[in-house]
Amino acid sequence: MADTGKLQSFGEEAAADLAQSLTGLLGRDVGVSLAHVSETDPTSVSAALDSPYLFSFFNGTGGLEGSTLFLAKEKDAAIMADLLIGQDGTSAPEKMTEMHLSAFGEVVHQAAEAFTRGAKKMAGSKALWEAGESTAQDPAAVGQILSRLGGAFTALTFNVFIQDLLSSEVLLCLPDPVADGLTSGEEKRAVGTGVGVGASPSPKPSGVSTVNTQPRAGGAQVEQLENEFAGSARPTGGNIGLLLDVPLKLTVELGRTTKLVKEILALAPGSVVELDKLAGEAVDILVNEKLIAKGEVVVIDENFGVRITEIINPEERLNAVQP
């Protein structure tokens, strides 16, 4: 049986790491905390699920061999995906669209990385979890999926909170062999340093440059300079490549106007609606309702097109997509 105390420590550290990663990824303050660690089985978990869930398998290596399962409520996963694609999360679909499912893959990737960093400190530097594809399942189909973990496993339950949007739980289900490998792994120590591989480095004050030296063959040493600037954001380790296939809606807007209800009802074939754009003025190009460029209308064969004449500068685009 796995050491519950070690799993508790692993979960608490991974929760803090995941909260930081998701805050940077989603652009909103995300709180993640470990709720509890429990020995359970497929029947018990299935009975506790009351809505569709997204299932993501983590493939483990380096002492974590086997499949580990990450579960999140579908409706809450849709909210996180909605934030990731530049929306505000309030109109997220109950059922995941293809676009939302693709975007949520980056959230799962961040979770796998956070759990891997915690695992390395317990099971050694070779410990690794890689996220697979996510699939949505109704509660009735959950038992068969959970049974792939074996007759019994350890479930780590995490509370996830985003103010005014969601307060939910996600589960990390560890089969017994994986939980044993995680808690029984011995920390490797670097020769001559006395520091465990994967151990947390000592905190360094912001704005201070530090010099790390590492021995090389022949006694030579190489200096590695690392500058940390106060107030700078640290990278979250996300892989933008996972988002390259996410579809986005591109709209070309000729102009807008405001009409009274009676004016709308009076419209008929041949009616002319005056817009707020001058003749020859550039049209707006929007991605997911956010202005990113301006252009001019052209005709390509028998189809309309738009030639981009101006790209909105990065600062203005960033301000447009922030909630």
Side-chain angles (χ1 to χ4, degrees):
M1 182 179 295
D3 188 322
T4 303
K6 288 185 178 181
L7 289 177
Q8 181 87 18
S9 299
F10 159 75
E12 290 171 351
E13 186 164 346
D17 194 336
L18 181 58
Q20 182 179 4
S21 296
L22 294 184
T23 294
L25 181 69
L26 304 181
R28 297 284 294 268
D29 288 334
V30 181
V32 183
S33 60
L34 178 67
H36 53 81
V37 178
S38 59
E39 295 286 336
T40 187
D41 56 74
T43 302
S44 299
V45 174
S46 298
L49 303 184
D50 56 0
S51 63
Y53 269 71
L54 253 64
F55 290 77
S56 308
F57 278 100
F58 294 165
N59 301 313
T61 56
L64 304 177
E65 281 74 12
S67 294
T68 296
L69 191 58
F70 180 72
L71 292 79
K73 286 185 177 180
E74 183 176 9
K75 64 178 182 179
D76 296 328
I79 291 174
M80 288 186 273
D82 206 51
L83 292 174
L84 189 55
I85 62 176
Q87 303 302 309
D88 61 8
T90 58
S91 300
E94 287 285 330
K95 291 286 186 180
M96 295 283 275
T97 65
E98 182 179 352
M99 178 172 65
H100 284 76
L101 192 60
S102 298
F104 187 69
E106 178 63 9
V107 175
V108 175
H109 174 77
Q110 292 288 344
E113 286 198 342
F115 293 135
T116 291
R117 285 190 288 270
K120 287 181 182 294
K121 298 177 183 180
M122 299 185 66
S125 60
K126 294 184 178 180
L128 176 66
W129 271 311
E130 292 184 330
E133 292 186 359
S134 299
T135 57
Q137 296 288 343
D138 291 326
V142 168
Q144 185 176 0
I145 296 176
L146 290 171
S147 64
R148 293 172 57 181
L149 302 179
F153 52 85
T154 301
L156 280 69
T157 304
F158 298 88
N159 292 327
V160 180
F161 176 77
I162 303 177
Q163 188 171 5
D164 299 328
L165 281 179
L166 69 85
S167 179
S168 185
E169 291 182 343
V170 298
L171 279 72
L172 182 69
C173 299
L174 303 171
D176 287 346
V178 177
D180 290 339
L182 179 62
T183 58
S184 62
E186 294 183 359
E187 292 185 353
K188 309 295 188 296
R189 293 186 177 273
V191 177
T193 65
V195 179
V197 172
S200 299
S202 300
K204 298 182 286 291
S206 298
V208 177
S209 298
T210 60
V211 179
N212 296 328
T213 58
Q214 298 176 341
R216 264 188 179 176
Q221 297 206 345
V222 61
E223 293 185 348
Q224 178 184 359
L225 297 179
E226 179 186 355
N227 293 315
E228 296 181 0
F229 298 95
S232 64
R234 297 185 63 84
T236 61
N239 183 0
I240 191 64
L242 294 176
L243 296 178
L244 294 181
D245 292 329
V246 174
L248 298 175
K249 182 177 69 174
L250 187 145
T251 305
V252 177
E253 187 175 276
L254 182 62
R256 298 188 181 193
T257 190
T258 301
K259 294 289 184 183
L260 300 176
V261 173
K262 63 181 180 181
E263 293 174 314
I264 297 296
L265 295 176
L267 291 176
S271 298
V272 176
V273 177
E274 184 179 356
L275 304 177
D276 59 358
K277 293 276 189 181
L278 298 176
E281 188 176 352
V283 297
D284 293 334
I285 302 171
L286 303 95
V287 172
N288 280 11
E289 310 302 329
K290 308 297 182 182
L291 179 66
I292 61 115
K294 292 182 178 293
E296 58 185 19
V297 176
V298 297
V299 176
I300 305 173
D301 295 329
E302 296 182 354
N303 297 320
F304 284 112
V306 61
R307 179 185 292 114
I308 295 176
T309 58
E310 177 188 354
I311 297 291
I312 305 301
N313 69 59
E315 183 177 353
E316 291 181 5
R317 276 182 282 163
L318 180 62
N319 291 335
V321 301
Q322 285 178 339

